[in-house]
Amino acid sequence: MNTIAAMTRRIIPAVATRGRIIAMLLIGAAGIAIGVVLRRADATTTDMTEFAALFGLTIFVPLVALVISTASLGSLVEDKTLVYFWLRPLGRWQISTASLLAGLAVLLPLILVPMGILGIVTGDTDALQGILAGSLVGLVAYTSVFTMLGLFTQRALAWGLLYVLLWEGLVAGFSRSAGWLAIRTYTDGALSRVGGSAGSIVDPPQGATILIVTGAIVVTSFVVTTWRLNTMTVD
Amino acid sequence: MTNVPPPPPIPSQVPPPPAPHASPTSSAYVAQPAPPAPPLPRQRADNEVLAVTNLSKWFGDVVAVSDISFGLGPGVTALLGPNGAGKSTTLRMIAGLAAPSQGTVEVFGADPRKDKDVRGRIGIVPQQESLFQEQRAIEFVALAGVLNGLMDPTGRAREVLEIVELDPADTRPISSYSKGMRQRVKVAQALIHKPELLLLDEPLTGLDPRQRLHMTQLIRSLGEAGVCVVVSSHVLDEVERLGSRVMVIAQGRLAAQGDFHEIRALMDDRPHRIRVRSSNARTLGGVLLTGSGIAGLTVVDGESLIVDTDDAATFRGTIAAVAQAADVRLLEVQPLDDDLESVFKYLVGR
Ligand SMILES: Nc1ncnc2c1ncn2[C@@H]1O[C@H](COP(=O)(O)OP(=O)(O)OP(=O)(O)O)[C@@H](O)[C@H]1O
Ligand SMILES: [Mg+2]
């Protein structure tokens, strides 16, 4: 679709500012550096994979997705340019789609390249595949949720951080039922299922469950984003 | 494919929409009853583009727009009011950008917030300056063309940029543009799909006098071509040059409506307060009191006196002769309440 592509092309530069990209690349590089050091210190494959899960899937992937995706629609709301997409003879789902695509386009290389390198550093093909699978699940799920969040509040970064650190980092770690409501469960789960024994959680969800939940997160976020676009006040 | 049908034929005379609460005393004045009136069945003119019925909007305790009703057909209409009167809020509800707290807006018979085809017939120049900064003007305007489903968005973008006197080949980003240039970029994107309803929120701000003239002519010609143009402004002279119908909006209410001359007359009719400085205020005051048309007079000091008059035009026309006859040297005649604020206050308070 011509219109979706045009909006996506417009959102990408607004989201991928130089400052954001450099900061995110630096964090990724730091993770890789630690990985290399661990490897040199003769860490086992399991240790390496656990580090990739801990640093990569619980910190790096959600953080990068948060910073980029909340800006997709959030920056349009903040600088009051949303009106130039909104007051057009388009379905609002097209704006939702464009914002999601813009986030994914920026995040795909920004997440998968550092995580891929981290996977290679582990020195294990299964681990590499598991890490990439987990990253992919995280990329899609976090991007959807945080794109939606950016439309709801100008403080999306703060709320997103709170979610990632408190809910995913703490609550979901202690309570198994809360864990079902954390994206991290599914990124870790994908790592375990694809990467075999190297995964960090004891009893990962089934592969099919991971796919269905990830799909449900994407669809729900998309529907809510479109609903919000339809009912919101535009400056 | 363009989804813009040709504009309706231009009627030689646009019949004024029936005013729902017209006061018998003045055709230019629409009295607003204190309690919100129930929606009245309004007769629609055939060519009515826009119908606003008992429209209100509040933000918490702030009432931004209060029970406004009107209908508009093709031609230019000015929304005149001081800062904070509710002009932008009204325009934003007409465009569907904000939902009314109460009442309805219909554009071409549909709700602009819900009907996507109606959105394609509206063009808006928002009040805020923000644009996509790092883009070139041609890219920004062409994007509007793409989103409006035009066949040749870039070609049409070039046309509208030329209409607003900007260079389509300019390679500089919009971030380097002056306020007036940005204003014209905003107008260009609003024109690209030949909208039948054009909403302009203070489109002349930031323009230099020559550009103002050009923009004014552009707005007039669009109105003559059958576009329904609504322009907000807080400058009386601007509105006069648009030669348009005027709706005076103050404190969220429709205080008066009519053509420009009616509004001007209404404003001249109100009591005026004028300060007169002269070589001898006491003598001049004494002479003035013997004449007619003076509602009140206060001598402030040896030089200054303040006059209340119902007929400011006559007063201004005769004061020099009166002073000369009394052998008083006139230093200054200054209207004290000629600012719009007091004009609006008067209109709302009537
Ligand atoms: N989003 C908002 N939240 C709270 N109050 C608002 C909001 N938007 C407008 N208002 C208030 O509503 C009133 C009308 O505002 P509006 O912007 O419509 O006035 P205006 O006539 O366009 O004024 P100006 O000439 O300054 O542009 C003002 O008192 C304003 O403070
Ligand atoms: Mg305004």
Side-chain angles (χ1 to χ4, degrees), chain A residues 10 79 88 90 232 234, chain B residues 92 113 119 130 134 189:
Chain A
R10 173 78 283 285
D79 67 11
R88 305 290 182 212
L90 310 168
M232 71 190 293
V234 179
Chain B
R92 291 180 49 231
R113 259 179 98 71
R119 291 204 289 274
S130 52
E134 70 279 16
Q189 68 72 39

Side-chain angles (χ1 to χ4, degrees), chain A residues 235, chain B residues 59 62-65 81-90 92 127 201-202 234:
Chain A
D235 279 327
Chain B
F59 300 99
V62 180
V63 179
V65 173
N83 290 127
K87 304 181 295 292
S88 298
T89 307
T90 304
R92 291 180 49 231
Q127 188 166 12
D201 202 346
E202 311 207 1
H234 56 259

Side-chain angles (χ1 to χ4, degrees), chain A residues 86 232-234, chain B residues 57 89 92-100 113:
Chain A
W86 201 88
M232 71 190 293
T233 297
V234 179
Chain B
K57 179 78 180 179
T89 307
R92 291 180 49 231
M93 285 192 285
I94 293 173
L97 296 171
R113 259 179 98 71

Side-chain angles (χ1 to χ4, degrees), chain A residues 2-3 6-7 10 13-14 76 79-81 83-92 230-235, chain B residues 3 92 95-98 113 116 119-120 122 124 126 128 130-132 134-135 140 143-144 146-148 186 189:
Chain A
N2 207 359
T3 49
M7 287 190 282
R10 173 78 283 285
L76 297 179
D79 67 11
K80 300 184 177 180
T81 48
V83 59
Y84 297 113
F85 288 168
W86 201 88
L87 196 70
R88 305 290 182 212
L90 310 168
R92 265 62 191 256
N230 268 316
T231 54
M232 71 190 293
T233 297
V234 179
D235 279 327
Chain B
N3 49 13
R92 291 180 49 231
L97 296 171
R113 259 179 98 71
K116 114 174 136 71
R119 291 204 289 274
I122 303 177
I124 191 168
Q128 69 262 18
S130 52
L131 293 162
F132 297 133
E134 70 279 16
Q135 265 187 323
F140 176 74
L143 174 63
V146 172
L147 299 185
N148 274 298
K186 276 158 51 181
Q189 68 72 39

Side-chain angles (χ1 to χ4, degrees), chain A residues 154-208:
Chain A
Q154 295 285 81
R155 296 165 189 261
L157 267 184
W159 285 109
L161 265 182
L162 223 59
Y163 166 79
V164 169
L165 296 179
L166 271 186
W167 186 262
E168 301 224 316
L170 276 175
V171 181
F174 288 124
S175 150
R176 225 181 123 63
S177 49
W180 291 104
L181 288 174
I183 292 171
R184 183 188 159 190
T185 306
Y186 306 96
T187 54
D188 276 351
L191 168 61
S192 308
R193 290 290 167 198
V194 175
S197 57
S200 66
I201 57 173
V202 193
D203 183 15
Q206 296 297 320

Side-chain angles (χ1 to χ4, degrees), chain B:
Chain B
M1 139 224 72
T2 159
N3 49 13
V4 180
I10 313 152
S12 56
Q13 175 106 52
V14 179
H21 320 293
S23 142
T25 53
S26 161
S27 66
Y29 177 56
V30 176
Q32 295 289 333
L40 297 175
R42 287 171 8 89
Q43 279 177 341
R44 297 261 157 88
D46 286 344
N47 57 4
E48 192 166 85
V49 171
L50 167 67
V52 166
T53 314
N54 299 107
L55 187 67
S56 297
K57 179 78 180 179
W58 47 82
F59 300 99
D61 287 345
V62 180
V63 179
V65 173
S66 169
D67 198 30
I68 287 183
S69 299
F70 61 87
L72 295 179
V76 182
T77 303
L79 216 52
L80 178 68
N83 290 127
K87 304 181 295 292
S88 298
T89 307
T90 304
L91 287 178
R92 291 180 49 231
M93 285 192 285
I94 293 173
L97 296 171
S101 303
Q102 217 164 60
T104 57
V105 172
E106 277 179 56
V107 178
F108 304 109
D111 179 351
R113 259 179 98 71
K114 303 233 170 77
D115 192 305
K116 114 174 136 71
D117 296 327
V118 162
R119 291 204 289 274
R121 299 164 76 178
I122 303 177
I124 191 168
V125 172
Q127 188 166 12
Q128 69 262 18
E129 231 186 273
S130 52
L131 293 162
F132 297 133
Q133 296 293 336
E134 70 279 16
Q135 265 187 323
R136 297 190 295 139
I138 182 91
E139 292 166 336
F140 176 74
V141 178
L143 174 63
V146 172
L147 299 185
N148 274 298
L150 302 188
M151 288 274 272
D152 177 17
T154 309
R156 178 72 186 140
R158 256 184 233 118
E159 275 173 40
V160 286
L161 281 170
E162 268 158 15
I163 289 176
V164 298
E165 298 190 312
L166 284 173
D167 176 10
D170 194 347
T171 53
R172 290 174 298 165
I174 293 175
S175 58
S176 70
Y177 276 21
S178 71
K179 199 167 152 67
M181 291 168 86
R182 283 163 204 241
Q183 193 69 24
R184 285 178 284 153
V185 174
K186 276 158 51 181
V187 173
Q189 68 72 39
L191 291 179
I192 192 159
H193 56 303
K194 302 189 173 144
E196 295 156 82
L197 171 60
L198 183 59
L199 306 169
L200 307 169
D201 202 346
E202 311 207 1
L204 303 181
T205 48
L207 302 188
D208 66 32
R210 203 193 55 78
Q211 292 161 356
R212 259 166 201 261
L213 185 66
H214 175 77
M215 190 64 75
T216 305
Q217 281 163 353
L218 175 63
I219 293 170
R220 284 182 86 133
S221 69
L222 287 166
E224 278 154 19
V227 180
C228 175
V229 190
V230 188
V231 187
S232 83
S233 170
H234 56 259
V235 185
L236 197 56
D237 292 344
E238 247 173 49
V239 169
E240 182 162 23
R241 267 178 246 123
L242 288 169
S244 57
R245 268 167 301 182
V246 182
M247 292 194 293
V248 180
I249 174 167
Q251 294 165 21
R253 313 218 289 161
L254 197 53
Q257 64 177 324
D259 75 14
F260 180 79
H261 301 287
E262 288 173 304
I263 299 295
R264 177 62 100 181
L266 203 61
M267 292 180 175
D268 279 347
D269 271 355
R270 82 202 154 88
H272 280 63
R273 177 161 284 197
I274 298 170
R275 186 175 63 196
V276 182
R277 285 207 310 122
S278 64
S279 57
N280 190 335
R282 209 163 287 274
T283 309
L284 184 62
V287 177
L288 281 173
L289 276 178
T290 62
S292 65
I294 304 294
L297 193 149
T298 317
V299 175
V300 181
D301 55 34
E303 280 195 343
S304 301
L305 57 90
I306 288 176
V307 178
D308 290 310
T309 172
D310 291 335
D311 188 351
T314 310
F315 180 83
R316 277 195 292 264
T318 55
I319 178 74
V322 170
Q324 197 170 25
D327 206 16
V328 174
R329 196 156 49 88
L330 209 54
L331 299 172
E332 188 186 22
V333 178
Q334 193 191 18
L336 289 182
D337 53 2
D338 233 16
D339 61 308
L340 267 186
E341 296 294 334
S342 53
V343 173
F344 292 123
K345 222 179 261 165
Y346 164 70
L347 287 174
V348 172
R350 283 179 4 143

Side-chain angles (χ1 to χ4, degrees), chain A residues 97-138:
Chain A
T97 308
S99 61
L100 200 57
L101 289 178
L104 288 174
V106 175
L107 287 168
L108 203 78
L110 206 53
I111 283 181
L112 289 192
V113 170
M115 290 302 285
I117 296 175
L118 200 56
I120 292 169
V121 170
T122 61
D124 183 276
T125 319
D126 280 349
L128 168 63
Q129 286 173 358
I131 288 167
L132 285 178
S135 304
L136 209 56
V137 167

